[in-house]
């Protein structure tokens, strides 16, 4: 099956701990994205990457970090510096080009207690 | 700042009636516009896009969208709503980074569509 896989679906962490969310795609897409979704606020861009070993900050990058060591993988680490990490996190990928749509994973719901 | 806006948090329509979900944009240059749908606790699914050409774009599940350059709008429409259309709908725009070929996608705040039987 081709697509984007996010794991785990649900994640619980204690406050002050770093946590890494996984995102893998087998669509051979160059670009990958991480979004955060909170109720009533839509999707906000955290980080995005167009090619391996390169990524850019989105609108709300503070308290997050990413890596892009392989084309297929774009893990997101939520650090203890993120003030309000409880949210629904969505990963997406797309081919390069302005006319291309993004394909989304099923999301990871992170709850920090 | 370049952006996309959805002015309605919620739209309520009776089954069988036409529906419209509004979207306006503010972009320098030609806009690349998209509509997505999200069902509870799921990722987003692509519905349709406007790149260039005809102002009326047809997409999945009977949805269509009308691009209006003078009003900077890209409203989502369907002639006859179904209860199963009830979901969260997002308008999005792809923005090119300055001085590079990179681009990102930004989303509106979403509109919850509720279709009553």
């Amino acid at each position: 099956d081709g697509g984007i896989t996010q794991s785990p679906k649900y994640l619980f962490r204690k406050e002050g701990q770093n946590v890494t969310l996984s995102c893998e795609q087998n669509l051979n897409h160059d670009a990958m994205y991480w979004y955060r979704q909170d109720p009533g606020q839509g999707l906000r861009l955290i980080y995005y990457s167009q090619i391996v070993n390169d990524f850019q900050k989105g609108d709300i990058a503070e308290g997050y970090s990413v890596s892009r060591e392989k084309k297929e993988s774009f893990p997101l680490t939520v650090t203890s510096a993120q003030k309000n990490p409880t949210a629904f996190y969505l990963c997406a990928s797309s081919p390069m080009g302005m006319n291309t749509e993004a394909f989304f994973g099923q999301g990871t719901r992170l709850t920090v207690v | 700042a370049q952006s996309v806006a959805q002015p309605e948090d919620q739209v309520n329509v009776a089954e069988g009636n036409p529906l419209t979900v509004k979207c306006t944009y503010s972009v320098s240059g030609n806009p690349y516009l998209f509509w997505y749908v999200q069902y509870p606790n799921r990722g987003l699914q692509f519905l349709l896009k406007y790149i260039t050409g005809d102002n009326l774009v047809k997409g999945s599940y009977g949805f269509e969208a009308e691009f209006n350059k003078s009003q900077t709008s890209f409203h989502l429409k369907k002639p006859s709503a179904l209860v199963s259309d009830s979901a969260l709908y997002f308008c999005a725009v792809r923005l090119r980074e300055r001085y590079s070929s990179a681009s990102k996608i930004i989303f509106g705040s979403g509109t919850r569509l509720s279709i009553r039987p």
Side-chain angles (χ1 to χ4, degrees):
Chain A
D1 270 289
I4 301 180
T5 302
Q6 289 187 243
S7 60
K9 189 169 183 178
Y10 299 96
L11 190 54
F12 295 87
R13 277 294 182 270
K14 289 186 177 179
E15 196 171 333
Q17 290 181 333
N18 291 357
V19 60
T20 297
L21 282 59
S22 169
C23 178
E24 303 276 333
Q25 55 100 359
N26 61 4
L27 300 168
N28 198 32
H29 287 167
D30 290 301
M32 296 187 76
Y33 314 82
W34 273 107
Y35 292 90
R36 170 181 171 140
Q37 185 176 19
D38 295 285
Q41 293 199 44
L43 275 69
R44 292 184 289 169
L45 183 62
I46 305 173
Y47 269 98
Y48 61 110
S49 168
Q50 305 287 302
I51 57 172
V52 173
N53 292 324
D54 188 36
F55 45 83
Q56 289 77 39
K57 291 182 179 180
D59 299 320
I60 56 164
E62 185 175 349
Y64 299 98
S65 65
V66 293
S67 62
R68 188 88 186 274
E69 297 177 1
K70 299 186 299 181
K71 186 175 183 177
E72 309 80 44
S73 178
F74 192 40
L76 173 73
T77 296
V78 184
T79 75
S80 56
Q82 168 50 233
K83 296 282 188 283
N84 185 18
T86 294
F88 190 50
Y89 291 88
L90 286 161
C91 180
S93 71
S94 76
M96 293 286 275
M98 293 294 289
N99 62 347
T100 61
E101 63 270 23
F103 295 76
F104 281 80
Q106 295 302 295
T108 293
R109 187 166 296 280
L110 172 65
T111 302
V112 176
V113 296
Chain B
Q2 300 189 92
S3 63
V4 61
Q6 294 179 244
E8 302 158 317
D9 290 336
Q10 174 121 9
V11 170
N12 300 309
V13 176
E15 187 174 29
N17 283 0
L19 69 87
T20 298
V21 182
K22 295 180 180 177
C23 172
T24 59
Y25 65 89
S26 174
V27 174
S28 56
N30 294 323
Y32 295 84
L33 298 160
F34 305 83
W35 274 103
Y36 290 83
V37 60
Q38 185 182 34
Y39 297 99
N41 296 311
R42 304 296 295 273
L44 275 65
Q45 295 176 34
F46 168 73
L47 281 178
L48 51 78
K49 63 184 176 184
Y50 173 81
I51 305 303
T52 187
D54 288 341
N55 290 341
L56 187 63
V57 180
K58 293 193 183 296
S60 306
Y61 312 120
F63 283 94
E64 56 192 26
E66 187 171 9
F67 173 70
N68 187 318
K69 188 172 183 178
S70 63
Q71 297 186 4
T72 63
S73 67
F74 188 53
H75 300 332
L76 182 70
K77 302 184 179 189
K78 189 172 183 182
S80 178
L82 299 172
V83 172
S84 58
D85 292 331
S86 299
L88 190 55
Y89 290 80
F90 290 97
C91 183
V93 64
R94 191 181 272 281
L95 301 176
R96 188 186 298 282
E97 291 290 345
R98 267 190 177 188
Y99 314 122
S100 87
S101 61
S103 66
K104 61 184 180 183
I105 306 172
I106 61 169
F107 287 80
S109 56
T111 299
R112 187 163 301 281
L113 178 64
S114 177
I115 309 299
R116 60 183 183 274

